Each structure stands twice: as structure tokens, then as C-alpha cells.
Amino acid sequence: MEKKLADLRENYGIKELNEENCPENPFELFDLWLNEAMDTIPADANAMTLSTVGADGQPSSRTVLLKGVNEQEFLLFTHYTGKKGWQIDENPKVSLLFWWKELERQVRIEGIARKVSREKSEDYFHTRPKGSQIGAAASPQSQSILKEELIAKFRDLEIQYRNQDSIPLPENWGGYAVTPNLIEFWQGRPNRMHDRVEYQLQNQSWTKQRLAP
């Protein structure tokens, strides 16, 4: 197995990233890259790894979906009482990671997470399919549960709201906005000479620099 893993390698080189051609605001470059990803891999373009660290110092990572972005923050939605939620309560410093293999690109983000308003969470929640709404309400996320118990909770809610197009927003569910202080763009290049351009927020202004691969 070790030899098989050691032999796994790929030589990148379909695109290039030069810092002198990068915009001053990293969100402009992110929008460009995200749009290219949505055109190339529409099913997974908004998938990202969210990493959190609780009071015990143990990092946890999981894949979530980006559901909004503007010139200041990245938006995602989840249970507030699951593991990611209580770790963010203990330590709001988080990281996000996008990996677009087909474009040989990666974006790494560090920042601070905060809960969005209940109104914003309501607006998004009711755009979800009804089944997804019921699934969010039925799941005591990250808690130990029997599969049969979870299915029973889902079915009970299906019956309860069978005559409604949507269900009420659960109290323990909503959005987080991640305000970044660092955004790094990585473009794969031949011979592991990858392009890395890092933006840092300093005194409300973005600075950028090239990093060695």
C-alpha cells in the first residue's frame, strides 16, 4: 500500500497564476475562479472543507456547501448545536478550503465566523426542498442516534406538515458568515513549482504576495 501511495502523482500545468495580474481585492479573483469552477464542475463547485477548532485544541474538518459570497464574507448554513456549531461558539476562528481538481486550483481561507440574522436564515431555509427542511428539523446533529429513531422522527414531521409547502425554521439551525483575514490562491504547475498568491487583510486593506510552493 505504501508503494502504491508513493507512486500516486500528477503533473499539473493547464493554467498559470501571476501575482502582477491579480486584482487588488481577492474577492474579485475568487468570483472569477468560482464562476470557472461552476462552468466546469457545476455539481461540486461550491463544496468546501470547513475546519473548526474547539476549546480542546483538536481540529475538525468536514465538507459543507458555500451558499453565498459577497465582497466581505462567505456564507454557509448548518445546525448550531452540531459539533461545528459548538466549536465555533468556543472558538470563532475557522478555515475554508476549496479544491477544484479539474482546474488544478485550490483556495484556502482563514477568518472569523459569526451567526447571521434569523431573518437571513429564514429566507434561505425556505428556498430548500421540503424534504431537506424536514431533514434539518429531524436531525439532532452530531448526537448518537439509532437509524430507526432518525427515520421515525423524519416520518413524524412529514405527517405533521403534510399539508404545508414548508416547515418552520428550527431554532437550532441557521447561517454562519465567515469574514476572511487571509485568502490564498493555489494554481498547480509542472514539477511542483506551483503558483501561490496570498492576500492578507491589514488595516482594512488587502496586501498580496507570492509564496514559495
Side-chain angles (χ1 to χ4, degrees):
M1 178 59 73
E2 287 187 10
K3 185 179 187 307
K4 289 181 179 179
L5 290 174
D7 289 341
L8 288 175
R9 62 187 75 251
E10 187 169 345
N11 201 29
Y12 302 113
I14 63 173
K15 292 180 181 289
E16 190 173 1
L17 179 65
N18 295 311
E19 66 271 25
E20 60 268 20
N21 296 327
C22 293
E24 296 304 310
N25 188 327
F27 281 97
E28 294 180 26
L29 183 56
F30 181 83
D31 284 346
L32 177 64
W33 278 24
L34 179 60
N35 279 304
E36 286 189 47
M38 289 191 292
D39 289 340
T40 307
I41 41 173
D44 297 314
N46 64 330
M48 59 185 180
T49 301
L50 166 67
S51 296
T52 55
V53 181
D56 61 359
Q58 175 62 53
S60 294
S61 300
R62 74 289 287 166
T63 301
V64 297
L65 297 178
L66 177 71
K67 286 300 179 179
V69 59
N70 55 41
E71 292 188 357
Q72 294 181 318
E73 57 196 16
F74 301 86
L75 189 63
L76 63 109
F77 292 87
T78 187
H79 289 80
Y80 288 144
T81 51
K83 185 172 184 178
K84 67 178 83 67
W86 56 255
Q87 284 194 325
I88 290 173
D89 284 345
E90 294 175 347
N91 176 9
K93 294 181 179 180
V94 303
S95 70
L96 305 173
L97 179 68
F98 293 86
W99 167 236
W100 298 308
K101 183 180 186 299
E102 290 82 353
L103 297 171
E104 300 175 352
R105 285 174 172 170
Q106 174 179 274
V107 181
R108 188 174 66 85
I109 298 159
E110 296 177 2
I112 304 296
R114 62 169 179 81
K115 291 179 180 178
V116 304
S117 68
R118 184 164 179 83
E119 290 75 19
K120 194 163 191 174
S121 295
E122 287 265 12
D123 289 344
Y124 171 72
F125 185 76
H126 292 299
T127 68
R128 305 179 90 208
K130 185 179 178 182
S132 296
Q133 295 179 31
I134 292 174
S139 173
Q141 191 180 79
S142 299
Q143 297 180 29
S144 177
I145 193 171
L146 295 174
K147 185 174 183 179
E148 294 78 7
E149 182 183 352
L150 183 61
I151 292 172
K153 285 176 176 285
F154 185 93
R155 288 175 176 167
D156 286 346
L157 288 171
E158 272 191 315
I159 294 170
Q160 181 179 348
Y161 295 107
R162 63 184 178 276
N163 296 321
Q164 297 179 213
D165 293 332
S166 63
I167 74 169
L169 173 68
E171 290 293 331
N172 65 340
W173 197 96
Y176 286 104
V178 177
T179 302
N181 49 53
L182 182 149
I183 304 179
E184 179 194 320
F185 297 86
W186 180 99
Q187 179 71 64
R189 298 293 296 150
N191 304 311
R192 297 300 185 262
M193 297 292 286
H194 308 307
D195 292 327
R196 294 174 63 193
V197 176
E198 180 191 77
Y199 289 80
Q200 289 194 39
L201 187 63
Q202 299 178 348
N203 298 319
Q204 305 304 311
S205 296
W206 289 102
T207 63
K208 62 180 176 179
Q209 60 179 342
R210 171 174 286 271
L211 301 179

